[in-house]
Every structure is written in structure tokens, then in C-alpha cells.
């Protein structure tokens, strides 16, 4: 009897141990499966990452910002990381090989179309709360976050939020000036630049709807500051530039001719004054002497005069 009881207890113990073992193995398998779905993220000095938690079976929700130069951070299964640039960035509209845009066209007050090249330098506002707003409002719409080394979505975003406001600002400012003033007058160009900067910052902020694009020196705290614009002198069509050069050349020639005419008038006045004093023949003789056409020979006291034809020795007597 005791033997059977001991035998039954021993069997139940073995089954309990087996179940515990299977549960442990299952937990290890599940944990391994979970780890296999995890990933690690580390950030570069010029990079900030938004971490969103949530996988296939649960809604995504914002988790945290991962600051620049952060070591490896473990993300859960299904979690997503969105990378954005940290530090100074530039929207280049010079039309060069690596530029984001061609030069911008503007129309002057006198309806001349001109081209303007330049750049807008800024820092993306990486304050965690503001960056999250930017990502959810703009970044996701354009896929503006970085995937690898570059982001086509980032370039599309800049063309909308920088090029279009800049285009509006430059057109509005250029309508206040004639093309010759913009091209040739430094004072007018300075006024135009100030007006463009004022309108561009206003339009960029209005288009984005927030302080997402800050001064290049913005460090994440305090006032966001303004985007810095560097714009070149507006360039009119080549035909107008050539016409302006010809006009300036004609003005220079007219000025030179006026000076020549003034000199001639002065000389004539001088001749008239001489004629009043010396008479017509005396005035002509005076002019001939002054020009070297007539040579004056002093007369010695004894009255003898030696005349030597030009090119002969004056010491020979005739």
C-alpha cells in the first residue's frame, strides 16, 4: 500500500517538473522571439531621433527623443525611429550641382523678369516637444525624416516651406523697385534685401505654422530666432545688361566730347582776347610762336644777325 502511494506521488512530481520545464522553455522561446524583433539605435553628433513605441497589435505612441551622440538604445518589437538633422542646414537656390533649387525668378516694378540666387541657412527646432509637432504635422506628410544618408522627402519639404515663401517675398519686394535700381544701385539693393528678409521670415513662419525653422545658432533653448538669408544681386536678361553697357558707354563718350568742346571754346576765347590786344595778325603770330612754328632770334647789340636754315650749323655765316 505504501509503495503504491509513493509511486503515485513520484509520478505527479515528475509531471509538475515537466510542466515547469516546458513553461521555462516556452518563456525562453518567447523572450528570444521578442529579442529577435528588437533593434538598437545610436545617434550621430548631427542627428536627433524620435522614438515611437507600438507594434503590429497596438497603436503607435510617442515614446521619447534620443539626443545627438547617444549610445545604443534598445527599441522594442515594432517600434519606429525617425531621424532628423541636428545643427545648421541650408536651402541652396543657386542652381549649382548640389543645390536644392534653381535661382528664383522675380519681376521688377517696371516688369522686367530677373533671376536671384542665394541660400537660406537655418537650424531645425529640435526641442523635443516642437520636433514632435513638426514630425507629426509636416515630417510624416513629406517623409522628411532621414532614411540612410539622404532624404528625398526632406528636399521636397524644403522646396515647399522655403522656396515658395522666398518666391513670394522676393516678388513682393521686387515690385517696389525698378530693375536698374536693383542691378546698379547699392543703396536700393540694400533696401530690397532688408525687405526680402522681413517678408521671407514672415511667410516661412506662416507657411509652416510654427517656429520650426530657427536661427543657425539656435541651441534648443530660448527664442528660436530668424532664418538667415544670403541673396545675390538680381540678374536681368543679358540683352538688357548689354543695352545698359552701351548706354553707359554713350554717356561716357558724350561727357568726353563735352570736355573737348569746352576746351575748344576756351581756346577760341583766348584767341579773341589776343586779337583785341595784338590785332588779328599779331594774334596769329603769337599763336605761331607758342606752337613752335616761328622761332624768335635775339638781335645782338652790333646789329649783326646770323640765320641758319633748319638742319644746318648756325655758326656758318653767309
Amino acid at each position: 500500500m505504501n509503495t503504491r502511494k509513493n509511486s503515485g506521488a513520484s509520478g505527479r512530481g515528475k509531471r509538475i517538473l515537466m510542466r515547469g520545464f516546458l513553461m521555462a522553455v516556452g518563456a525562453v522561446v518567447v523572450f528570444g522571439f521578442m529579442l529577435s524583433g528588437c533593434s538598437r539605435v545610436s545617434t550621430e553628433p548631427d542627428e536627433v531621433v524620435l522614438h515611437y513605441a507600438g507594434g503590429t497589435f497596438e497603436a503607435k505612441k510617442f515614446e521619447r527623443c534620443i539626443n545627438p551622440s547617444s549610445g545604443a538604445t534598445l527599441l522594442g518589437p515594432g517600434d519606429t525611429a525617425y531621424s532628423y538633422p541636428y545643427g545648421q542646414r541650408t536651402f541652396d537656390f543657386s542652381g549649382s550641382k548640389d543645390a536644392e533649387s534653381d535661382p528664383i525668378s522675380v519681376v521688377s516694378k517696371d516688369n522686367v523678369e530677373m533671376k536671384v540666387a542665394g541660400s537660406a541657412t537655418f537650424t531645425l527646432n529640435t526641442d523635443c516637444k516642437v520636433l514632435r509637432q513638426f514630425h507629426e504635422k509636416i515630417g510624416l506628410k513629406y517623409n522628411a525624416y532621414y532614411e540612410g544618408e539622404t532624404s528625398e522627402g526632406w528636399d521636397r519639404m524644403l522646396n515647399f516651406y522655403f522656396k515658395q515663401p522666398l518666391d513670394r517675398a522676393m516678388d513682393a519686394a521686387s515690385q517696389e523697385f525698378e530693375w536698374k535700381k536693383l542691378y546698379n544701385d547699392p543703396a536700393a539693393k540694400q533696401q530690397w534685401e532688408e525687405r526680402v528678409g522681413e517678408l521671407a521670415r514672415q511667410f516661412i513662419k506662416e507657411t509652416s505654422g510654427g517656429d520650426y525653422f530657427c536661427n543657425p545658432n539656435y541651441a534648443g533653448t530660448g527664442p528660436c530666432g530668424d532664418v538667415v538669408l544670403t541673396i545675390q544681386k538680381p540678374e536681368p536678361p543679358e540683352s538688357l545688361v548689354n543695352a545698359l553697357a552701351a548706354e553707359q558707354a554713350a554717356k561716357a563718350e558724350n561727357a568726353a566730347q563735352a570736355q573737348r568742346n569746352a576746351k575748344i571754346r576756351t581756346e577760341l576765347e583766348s584767341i579773341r582776347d589776343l586779337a583785341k590786344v595784338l590785332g588779328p595778325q599779331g594774334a596769329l603770330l603769337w599763336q605761331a610762336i607758342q606752337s613752335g612754328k616761328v622761332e624768335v632770334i635775339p638781335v645782338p647789340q652790333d646789329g649783326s644777325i646770323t640765320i641758319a636754315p633748319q638742319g644746318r650749323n648756325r655758326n656758318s655765316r653767309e
Side-chain angles (χ1 to χ4, degrees), residues 126-141:
T126 52
D127 173 83
C128 192
K129 181 179 178 180
V130 178
L131 183 60
R132 177 189 174 186
Q133 292 174 350
F134 169 82
H135 171 71
E136 294 176 359
K137 181 180 178 181
I138 296 174
L140 287 172
K141 178 181 178 181

Side-chain angles (χ1 to χ4, degrees), residues 7-28:
S7 176
S10 176
R12 284 195 299 274
K14 289 180 180 181
R15 286 195 296 273
I16 292 171
L17 288 172
M18 181 60 70
R19 281 200 300 271
F21 174 75
L22 291 175
M23 289 176 65
V25 170
V28 170

Side-chain angles (χ1 to χ4, degrees), residues 295 297 306-316 318:
E295 184 178 359
I297 301 174
T306 302
I307 299 175
Q310 190 173 8
R312 295 180 60 182
N313 189 343
R314 291 185 180 181
N315 294 325
S316 62
E318 296 182 0

Side-chain angles (χ1 to χ4, degrees), residues 108-125:
S108 65
K109 184 178 180 178
D110 46 355
N111 293 319
V112 172
E113 184 175 351
M114 310 175 77
K115 298 288 187 181
V116 181
S119 63
T121 307
F122 66 97
T123 293
L124 183 66
N125 194 334

Side-chain angles (χ1 to χ4, degrees), residues 7-275:
S7 176
S10 176
R12 284 195 299 274
K14 289 180 180 181
R15 286 195 296 273
I16 292 171
L17 288 172
M18 181 60 70
R19 281 200 300 271
F21 174 75
L22 291 175
M23 289 176 65
V25 170
V28 170
V29 170
V30 170
F31 183 68
F33 175 77
M34 291 176 64
L35 282 179
S36 68
C38 294
S39 60
R40 293 179 180 273
V41 171
S42 60
T43 55
E44 298 293 334
D46 61 347
E47 176 188 30
V48 62
V49 167
L50 295 175
H51 172 201
Y52 281 78
T56 306
F57 303 107
E58 58 180 330
K60 285 187 177 181
K61 62 178 182 178
F62 176 73
E63 188 71 19
R64 57 181 163 168
C65 290
I66 303 175
N67 292 325
S69 300
S70 294
T73 301
L74 184 66
L75 305 184
D79 288 6
T80 311
Y82 299 95
S83 174
Y84 284 97
Y86 176 84
Q88 290 189 12
R89 289 297 183 274
T90 299
F91 175 71
D92 183 348
F93 52 97
S94 66
S96 63
K97 180 180 178 181
D98 298 324
E100 284 80 11
S101 171
D102 291 331
I104 293 174
S105 296
V106 300
V107 178
S108 65
K109 184 178 180 178
D110 46 355
N111 293 319
V112 172
E113 184 175 351
M114 310 175 77
K115 298 288 187 181
V116 181
S119 63
T121 307
F122 66 97
T123 293
L124 183 66
N125 194 334
T126 52
D127 173 83
C128 192
K129 181 179 178 180
V130 178
L131 183 60
R132 177 189 174 186
Q133 292 174 350
F134 169 82
H135 171 71
E136 294 176 359
K137 181 180 178 181
I138 296 174
L140 287 172
K141 178 181 178 181
Y142 286 90
N143 294 334
Y145 43 87
Y146 274 53
E147 296 176 305
E149 294 296 325
T150 59
S151 171
E152 293 182 1
W154 175 263
D155 294 337
R156 287 197 304 272
M157 182 274 295
L158 289 182
N159 268 279
F160 184 83
Y161 288 99
F162 274 88
K163 184 175 182 179
Q164 293 192 26
L166 283 172
D167 200 329
R168 286 176 56 202
M170 288 185 185
D171 252 339
S174 300
Q175 288 292 315
E176 302 174 11
F177 300 88
E178 295 179 350
W179 78 270
K180 288 183 181 179
K181 292 285 187 180
L182 291 175
Y183 183 69
N184 247 1
D185 188 338
K189 181 178 181 289
Q190 183 177 359
Q191 294 173 9
W192 173 77
E193 287 178 344
E194 292 172 356
R195 184 63 174 150
V196 169
E198 176 187 348
L199 293 174
R201 296 176 186 105
Q202 174 188 335
F203 293 159
I204 288 172
K205 189 171 293 186
E206 287 178 359
T207 304
S208 64
D211 286 329
Y212 301 131
F213 307 106
C214 302
N215 184 273
N217 296 320
Y218 178 67
T221 58
C224 176
D226 293 323
V227 172
V228 173
L229 291 179
T230 304
I231 47 182
Q232 304 299 321
K233 179 172 67 175
E235 291 291 336
E238 186 176 356
S239 58
L240 286 183
V241 174
N242 293 336
L244 182 61
E247 179 184 333
Q248 296 300 323
K251 287 181 178 179
E253 176 59 27
N254 289 339
Q257 185 61 51
Q259 290 180 349
R260 289 193 291 269
N261 292 342
K263 181 180 179 183
I264 292 172
R265 283 193 296 270
T266 301
E267 290 174 349
L268 290 175
E269 289 291 335
S270 177
I271 293 173
R272 278 195 289 267
D273 292 341
L274 285 172

